[in-house]
Amino acid sequence: MAIIGNYPFLVEPFTEDATGNLSWGLLGNQLLRCAGMQAGSCGFGFEDMEQYHHVWVLARLIIDMDEMPRTGQAYNIQTWVTKVYHQFTDRLFTISSPEGHTFGHAFSTWALINYETREPMDLAHLPEGNIMDFTSPKTIPLKKAGRCRVTADCPMKSNPVYYSDLDINGHVNSIRYIQMAADLFTQEICSEGHSLYRVEVGFANETYLGDTLHFYTDGFHDNQAQVDIRRNDGKTAAKVALFFR
Amino acid sequence: MAIIGNYPFLVEPFTEDATGNLSWGLLGNQLLRCAGMQAGSCGFGFEDMEQYHHVWVLARLIIDMDEMPRTGQAYNIQTWVTKVYHQFTDRLFTISSPEGHTFGHAFSTWALINYETREPMDLAHLPEGNIMDFTSPKTIPLKKAGRCRVTADCPMKSNPVYYSDLDINGHVNSIRYIQMAADLFTQEICSEGHSLYRVEVGFANETYLGDTLHFYTDGFHDNQAQVDIRRNDGKTAAKVALFFR
């Protein structure tokens, strides 16, 4: 049990992206994995929750990197819960080198729901114990998310949900939405002139095998791109904002 | 240095595919990573080769799984070079549990080329030393690859190369071709009635940022599907055969 979990990683050869940095997809999935391990070490992990038919749902994620670790570099992910309110917890992350150099920060909001009734659970009254005992007031210097607004009438791209998008629950993997949004701006991400440094995601509705995803965007402007990923029923699956420098 | 390298892994939560198994994409990338580590431990790794302007190119890969490891299961990847001829080496893999239960096997062929001239190198006369000293006669029970033949005139799907497809060299990642071919048969892979157990890939030409990939297939027949992935210039990037039971 550690109120602030600390997990060491290394940028292994052939896990980098085309820019030679740790890829956004791998970093995102490692953040979620660290969240799961730290929650588990405090008795609030996915397995602990399952026995009460509770499940953590990721509602929001912001990743903001001053610098991405590169091939062969070691980095640590620190994570802790900072706030508990209604069905929500805010969980923070710091990504830094073993010597203490900060690569970046991340912020996430998770909701606890009953996976049969889909009802939100009150985190102040849990059979699992008091989650408030496992929070840290430690803060990170991270700008709040802005509003993701897309006005386009037609999708830039539509495609079915694919095998490689799905997680074990048969949903599209949360981090895959970031990859799919980033893929629309492949040229910008891979160009020498730009560098993707910040991603904001709001998760709205889950998507499954058989769904089609429609990607609405107004394009790349002022070093930003916003993508509204909608399902066939018109509802938003996730909104992703990409920030470049 | 170990003529037969042995690398332990664990199926970590949230790295599985929709069927609850270790995903084909992750397994494939781990096989390549183990190949790199074992070659490196013998002095023939990517970094060793780089100083002589030599690079290993994956020409063929077969993965044949009796069973895929599932969530929480430990597995070992054993790998060794079994044959050296002209510019080629054949490298074998066994995937098994720590208790010795075999999950499956894999076969790969790698060519060593000079990355400036693209000329094949003669592996019998290397400045790096004698690679023949680092082979094992150990065999695996693996059926040879058949011929991948596609007659379709029109692609089932075409898409540009995306950011998330690329590796650090700016090529489409070798294993990504398997994922992209498998994605065409998402329904079959995710259905209860079928199970993907074997993949055969022949790598022909590299693809880069700016290329478009065209997926030619005659569809799913007799529990098999063959996909010819072609570039804009009509040349095959990779041929992938998928085998289901």
Side-chain angles (χ1 to χ4, degrees), chain A residues 37-51:
Chain A
M37 288 191 287
Q38 194 275 334
S41 82
C42 296
F44 297 99
F46 284 93
E47 294 82 359
D48 307 299
M49 291 306 182
E50 211 167 15
Q51 56 183 313

PDB file of all heavy atoms in Angstrom, chain A residues 37-51:
ATOM      1  N   MET A  37      -2.785  -0.404 -10.708  1.00  0.00           N
ATOM      2  CA  MET A  37      -1.899  -1.017  -9.706  1.00  0.00           C
ATOM      3  C   MET A  37      -1.952  -0.250  -8.395  1.00  0.00           C
ATOM      4  O   MET A  37      -2.005  -0.849  -7.320  1.00  0.00           O
ATOM      5  CB  MET A  37      -0.464  -1.072 -10.239  1.00  0.00           C
ATOM      6  CG  MET A  37      -0.276  -2.113 -11.344  1.00  0.00           C
ATOM      7  SD  MET A  37       1.472  -2.431 -11.765  1.00  0.00           S
ATOM      8  CE  MET A  37       1.906  -0.943 -12.656  1.00  0.00           C
ATOM      9  N   GLN A  38      -1.940   1.082  -8.462  1.00  0.00           N
ATOM     10  CA  GLN A  38      -1.939   1.865  -7.223  1.00  0.00           C
ATOM     11  C   GLN A  38      -3.275   1.689  -6.497  1.00  0.00           C
ATOM     12  O   GLN A  38      -3.307   1.487  -5.280  1.00  0.00           O
ATOM     13  CB  GLN A  38      -1.664   3.341  -7.543  1.00  0.00           C
ATOM     14  CG  GLN A  38      -1.306   4.194  -6.321  1.00  0.00           C
ATOM     15  CD  GLN A  38      -2.520   4.731  -5.588  1.00  0.00           C
ATOM     16  OE1 GLN A  38      -3.577   4.900  -6.174  1.00  0.00           O
ATOM     17  NE2 GLN A  38      -2.354   4.973  -4.276  1.00  0.00           N
ATOM     18  N   ALA A  39      -4.386   1.733  -7.237  1.00  0.00           N
ATOM     19  CA  ALA A  39      -5.704   1.518  -6.617  1.00  0.00           C
ATOM     20  C   ALA A  39      -5.761   0.123  -6.003  1.00  0.00           C
ATOM     21  O   ALA A  39      -6.243  -0.057  -4.872  1.00  0.00           O
ATOM     22  CB  ALA A  39      -6.806   1.715  -7.656  1.00  0.00           C
ATOM     23  N   GLY A  40      -5.241  -0.856  -6.728  1.00  0.00           N
ATOM     24  CA  GLY A  40      -5.232  -2.233  -6.215  1.00  0.00           C
ATOM     25  C   GLY A  40      -4.448  -2.359  -4.925  1.00  0.00           C
ATOM     26  O   GLY A  40      -4.854  -3.057  -3.998  1.00  0.00           O
ATOM     27  N   SER A  41      -3.319  -1.650  -4.833  1.00  0.00           N
ATOM     28  CA  SER A  41      -2.474  -1.746  -3.632  1.00  0.00           C
ATOM     29  C   SER A  41      -3.177  -1.141  -2.412  1.00  0.00           C
ATOM     30  O   SER A  41      -2.837  -1.456  -1.277  1.00  0.00           O
ATOM     31  CB  SER A  41      -1.120  -1.066  -3.876  1.00  0.00           C
ATOM     32  OG  SER A  41      -1.214   0.328  -3.684  1.00  0.00           O
ATOM     33  N   CYS A  42      -4.172  -0.281  -2.660  1.00  0.00           N
ATOM     34  CA  CYS A  42      -4.938   0.333  -1.558  1.00  0.00           C
ATOM     35  C   CYS A  42      -6.277  -0.379  -1.324  1.00  0.00           C
ATOM     36  O   CYS A  42      -7.065   0.048  -0.478  1.00  0.00           O
ATOM     37  CB  CYS A  42      -5.209   1.803  -1.861  1.00  0.00           C
ATOM     38  SG  CYS A  42      -3.719   2.810  -1.948  1.00  0.00           S
ATOM     39  N   GLY A  43      -6.546  -1.416  -2.094  1.00  0.00           N
ATOM     40  CA  GLY A  43      -7.795  -2.171  -1.911  1.00  0.00           C
ATOM     41  C   GLY A  43      -8.963  -1.639  -2.714  1.00  0.00           C
ATOM     42  O   GLY A  43     -10.112  -2.008  -2.477  1.00  0.00           O
ATOM     43  N   PHE A  44      -8.684  -0.761  -3.682  1.00  0.00           N
ATOM     44  CA  PHE A  44      -9.753  -0.178  -4.501  1.00  0.00           C
ATOM     45  C   PHE A  44      -9.546  -0.448  -5.986  1.00  0.00           C
ATOM     46  O   PHE A  44      -9.971   0.342  -6.828  1.00  0.00           O
ATOM     47  CB  PHE A  44      -9.836   1.339  -4.263  1.00  0.00           C
ATOM     48  CG  PHE A  44     -10.195   1.695  -2.864  1.00  0.00           C
ATOM     49  CD1 PHE A  44      -9.219   2.066  -1.943  1.00  0.00           C
ATOM     50  CD2 PHE A  44     -11.514   1.616  -2.445  1.00  0.00           C
ATOM     51  CE1 PHE A  44      -9.551   2.374  -0.644  1.00  0.00           C
ATOM     52  CE2 PHE A  44     -11.858   1.928  -1.145  1.00  0.00           C
ATOM     53  CZ  PHE A  44     -10.876   2.295  -0.227  1.00  0.00           C
ATOM     54  N   GLY A  45      -8.834  -1.517  -6.304  1.00  0.00           N
ATOM     55  CA  GLY A  45      -8.537  -1.814  -7.704  1.00  0.00           C
ATOM     56  C   GLY A  45      -9.728  -2.443  -8.411  1.00  0.00           C
ATOM     57  O   GLY A  45     -10.793  -2.654  -7.826  1.00  0.00           O
ATOM     58  N   PHE A  46      -9.531  -2.756  -9.674  1.00  0.00           N
ATOM     59  CA  PHE A  46     -10.604  -3.322 -10.489  1.00  0.00           C
ATOM     60  C   PHE A  46     -11.108  -4.633  -9.898  1.00  0.00           C
ATOM     61  O   PHE A  46     -12.311  -4.872  -9.825  1.00  0.00           O
ATOM     62  CB  PHE A  46     -10.125  -3.524 -11.926  1.00  0.00           C
ATOM     63  CG  PHE A  46     -10.068  -2.242 -12.699  1.00  0.00           C
ATOM     64  CD1 PHE A  46      -8.896  -1.505 -12.756  1.00  0.00           C
ATOM     65  CD2 PHE A  46     -11.192  -1.759 -13.354  1.00  0.00           C
ATOM     66  CE1 PHE A  46      -8.845  -0.304 -13.459  1.00  0.00           C
ATOM     67  CE2 PHE A  46     -11.152  -0.565 -14.059  1.00  0.00           C
ATOM     68  CZ  PHE A  46      -9.967   0.174 -14.106  1.00  0.00           C
ATOM     69  N   GLU A  47     -10.166  -5.489  -9.446  1.00  0.00           N
ATOM     70  CA  GLU A  47     -10.557  -6.787  -8.900  1.00  0.00           C
ATOM     71  C   GLU A  47     -11.318  -6.612  -7.589  1.00  0.00           C
ATOM     72  O   GLU A  47     -12.295  -7.308  -7.328  1.00  0.00           O
ATOM     73  CB  GLU A  47      -9.329  -7.685  -8.672  1.00  0.00           C
ATOM     74  CG  GLU A  47      -8.604  -8.100  -9.951  1.00  0.00           C
ATOM     75  CD  GLU A  47      -7.640  -7.041 -10.490  1.00  0.00           C
ATOM     76  OE1 GLU A  47      -7.535  -5.957  -9.876  1.00  0.00           O
ATOM     77  OE2 GLU A  47      -7.008  -7.303 -11.534  1.00  0.00           O
ATOM     78  N   ASP A  48     -10.852  -5.674  -6.731  1.00  0.00           N
ATOM     79  CA  ASP A  48     -11.535  -5.426  -5.458  1.00  0.00           C
ATOM     80  C   ASP A  48     -12.971  -4.977  -5.701  1.00  0.00           C
ATOM     81  O   ASP A  48     -13.902  -5.359  -4.990  1.00  0.00           O
ATOM     82  CB  ASP A  48     -10.811  -4.324  -4.670  1.00  0.00           C
ATOM     83  CG  ASP A  48      -9.326  -4.621  -4.502  1.00  0.00           C
ATOM     84  OD1 ASP A  48      -9.021  -5.654  -3.887  1.00  0.00           O
ATOM     85  OD2 ASP A  48      -8.484  -3.844  -4.992  1.00  0.00           O
ATOM     86  N   MET A  49     -13.142  -4.125  -6.694  1.00  0.00           N
ATOM     87  CA  MET A  49     -14.449  -3.540  -6.971  1.00  0.00           C
ATOM     88  C   MET A  49     -15.419  -4.558  -7.571  1.00  0.00           C
ATOM     89  O   MET A  49     -16.623  -4.479  -7.354  1.00  0.00           O
ATOM     90  CB  MET A  49     -14.292  -2.366  -7.951  1.00  0.00           C
ATOM     91  CG  MET A  49     -13.586  -1.171  -7.334  1.00  0.00           C
ATOM     92  SD  MET A  49     -14.406  -0.658  -5.792  1.00  0.00           S
ATOM     93  CE  MET A  49     -13.441   0.756  -5.310  1.00  0.00           C
ATOM     94  N   GLU A  50     -14.844  -5.500  -8.321  1.00  0.00           N
ATOM     95  CA  GLU A  50     -15.656  -6.456  -9.064  1.00  0.00           C
ATOM     96  C   GLU A  50     -16.587  -7.260  -8.149  1.00  0.00           C
ATOM     97  O   GLU A  50     -17.736  -7.523  -8.495  1.00  0.00           O
ATOM     98  CB  GLU A  50     -14.730  -7.405  -9.834  1.00  0.00           C
ATOM     99  CG  GLU A  50     -15.343  -7.883 -11.122  1.00  0.00           C
ATOM    100  CD  GLU A  50     -14.312  -8.567 -12.017  1.00  0.00           C
ATOM    101  OE1 GLU A  50     -13.220  -8.920 -11.531  1.00  0.00           O
ATOM    102  OE2 GLU A  50     -14.638  -8.751 -13.202  1.00  0.00           O
ATOM    103  N   GLN A  51     -16.081  -7.643  -6.978  1.00  0.00           N
ATOM    104  CA  GLN A  51     -16.888  -8.480  -6.086  1.00  0.00           C
ATOM    105  C   GLN A  51     -18.143  -7.759  -5.608  1.00  0.00           C
ATOM    106  O   GLN A  51     -19.109  -8.381  -5.192  1.00  0.00           O
ATOM    107  CB  GLN A  51     -16.053  -8.968  -4.900  1.00  0.00           C
ATOM    108  CG  GLN A  51     -15.411  -7.847  -4.098  1.00  0.00           C
ATOM    109  CD  GLN A  51     -14.539  -8.378  -2.970  1.00  0.00           C
ATOM    110  OE1 GLN A  51     -14.937  -9.258  -2.223  1.00  0.00           O
ATOM    111  NE2 GLN A  51     -13.328  -7.844  -2.869  1.00  0.00           N
TER     112      GLN A  51
END
